[in-house]
Amino acid sequence: MQNVEQGSANKPEREQKFLEDVDHLKTEKLMVVDARKEEARTEEKHVTPKQLSARPAKAPAQRNLSKRELAEQRREIANLHMLKERCRQLCLSLFFRRDTTVSSIGFTSSIPGEGKSYLASMTALALAQDIHVPVTLVECNWEHPSLHEVFECAPTPGLAEWLRGECDEHEMRRHITQNLTVIPAGRGSQDAVRLLQQMRKDDLKSLFSALGEQYFILDLPPVVSTGYGALAASLADTLFMVVRSGVTTDRMIAETCEQLKDVSLQGIIMNQEQSHVPNWIRQLM
């Protein structure tokens, strides 16, 4: 985002640009609205990135913002952009590291509401734009599925229905862009453990071998508040734990790290600028 302190002469232009950035950030999360409308018009349910960006975002509602509101929104925008780019950099460095065996990265947390689903979605979208290998975003959180809301697609059939043999593989896949596919969780809260055990028999590459080479981003359930959170975390080659400052307590973070001690925890991603996380946990970041 451009520096907003370049001088008072262009203040109206700066504030207008800032309002446009606010609107862009909001619409970025729902950047697949055009894809959803295209799905209603065609049975292939496929759009290209060019089609996604063809329609400009609606102009933000104009209102006078106080200096405090402007400052708070600037900080929020800067923090979210920083988080998105940080996740993007980390994933690229893991997927394309020399002699790497990583093909799947999971996003987990201690409790709901820490922003892991949003970060997983934004990371998958960014990766799909960066690389030529197909990216698949898989939702394994059957307690609180949300990707169908983020991408405005049907919640079922999804991963659960496919694993139970109730649908074909192509029926559970939502083609968002030419290079990004989303697999929603579907309805699996009643038999989540059995479904996860079924998935653990083979790695994700083997499970989805018919799709060819691809990279996976996993939206995983919280570890502390979900009974099968740690089991689901074992599906990914490596993990990132999302921590929202002021929400997740030190005790919750410690308990999450303890439950994930037998899996590959790559690091902790802070979802706020300020943090009271103790030094021993910061060393994992």
Side-chain angles (χ1 to χ4, degrees), residues 212-229:
E213 182 184 5
Q214 60 185 303
Y215 292 116
F216 296 94
I217 300 295
L218 306 185
D219 179 17
L220 300 168
V223 173
V224 174
S225 60
T226 306
Y228 58 86

Side-chain angles (χ1 to χ4, degrees), residues 16-280:
Q16 178 61 30
K17 177 62 168 64
F18 173 72
L19 289 173
E20 291 174 357
D21 285 343
V22 171
D23 187 64
H24 175 73
L25 184 64
K26 293 176 180 178
T27 57
E28 183 180 40
K29 183 178 178 182
L30 299 175
M31 67 182 293
V32 295
V33 169
D34 286 340
R36 179 172 175 260
K37 291 184 177 180
E38 184 69 13
E39 287 181 7
R41 294 194 298 265
T42 175
E43 293 182 356
E44 283 124 358
K45 298 183 180 180
H46 176 81
V47 295
T48 65
K50 182 177 181 181
Q51 288 173 306
L52 284 173
S53 59
R55 195 169 106 185
K58 293 181 180 179
Q62 298 296 320
R63 70 181 184 89
N64 294 325
L65 297 176
S66 67
K67 291 183 178 180
R68 181 177 180 179
E69 288 175 319
L70 286 171
E72 289 177 351
Q73 290 193 14
R74 288 189 185 104
R75 285 195 296 268
E76 181 183 358
I77 288 174
N79 187 45
L80 289 175
H81 277 297
M82 179 189 68
L83 282 170
K84 176 186 172 182
E85 288 305 307
R86 181 57 175 160
C87 292
R88 180 184 187 183
Q89 293 167 3
L90 290 170
C91 290
L92 285 172
S93 67
L94 289 171
F95 283 142
F96 296 99
R97 187 170 54 192
R98 180 176 296 180
D99 300 325
T100 184
T101 58
V102 173
S103 62
S104 61
I105 297 175
F107 285 77
T108 190
S109 62
S110 297
I111 57 176
E114 300 194 71
K116 64 173 181 57
S117 295
Y118 177 79
L119 289 178
S121 300
M122 291 299 98
T123 300
L125 283 164
L127 283 175
Q129 294 172 352
D130 285 339
I131 63 178
H132 297 294
V133 178
V135 177
T136 300
L137 175 60
V138 185
E139 184 176 40
C140 302
N141 184 4
W142 287 294
E143 298 300 320
H144 302 286
S146 62
L147 291 189
H148 66 281
E149 297 176 351
V150 173
F151 292 95
E152 293 196 346
C153 60
T156 60
L159 180 62
E161 286 77 14
W162 179 66
L163 290 171
R164 290 195 294 261
E166 297 171 1
C167 70
D168 294 332
E169 187 170 296
H170 74 276
E171 293 179 282
M172 72 169 175
R173 297 170 60 81
R174 312 289 188 267
H175 295 286
I176 305 303
T177 70
Q178 187 174 8
N179 211 33
L180 174 63
T181 297
V182 171
I183 299 178
R187 294 189 177 93
S189 59
Q190 300 300 318
D191 54 350
V193 173
R194 185 183 65 79
L195 295 175
L196 289 171
Q197 291 175 333
Q198 182 178 343
M199 293 180 70
R200 289 187 66 195
K201 291 180 180 179
D202 300 297
D203 58 25
L204 290 177
K205 273 190 172 182
S206 300
L207 188 64
F208 299 104
S209 59
L211 304 178
E213 182 184 5
Q214 60 185 303
Y215 292 116
F216 296 94
I217 300 295
L218 306 185
D219 179 17
L220 300 168
V223 173
V224 174
S225 60
T226 306
Y228 58 86
L231 179 63
S234 65
L235 295 173
D237 292 333
T238 192
L239 295 170
F240 289 115
M241 183 170 74
V242 179
V243 172
R244 185 177 179 185
S245 178
V247 174
T248 318
T249 66
D250 297 351
R251 182 176 180 179
M252 289 177 182
I253 299 172
E255 182 178 347
T256 302
C257 291
E258 174 64 22
Q259 291 197 43
L260 297 178
K261 65 182 180 180
D262 294 328
V263 300
S264 175
L265 179 59
Q266 189 70 29
I268 296 176
I269 298 175
M270 301 305 304
N271 198 16
Q272 294 290 341
E273 293 180 352
Q274 303 298 324
S275 171
H276 300 290
V277 176
N279 291 332
W280 71 269

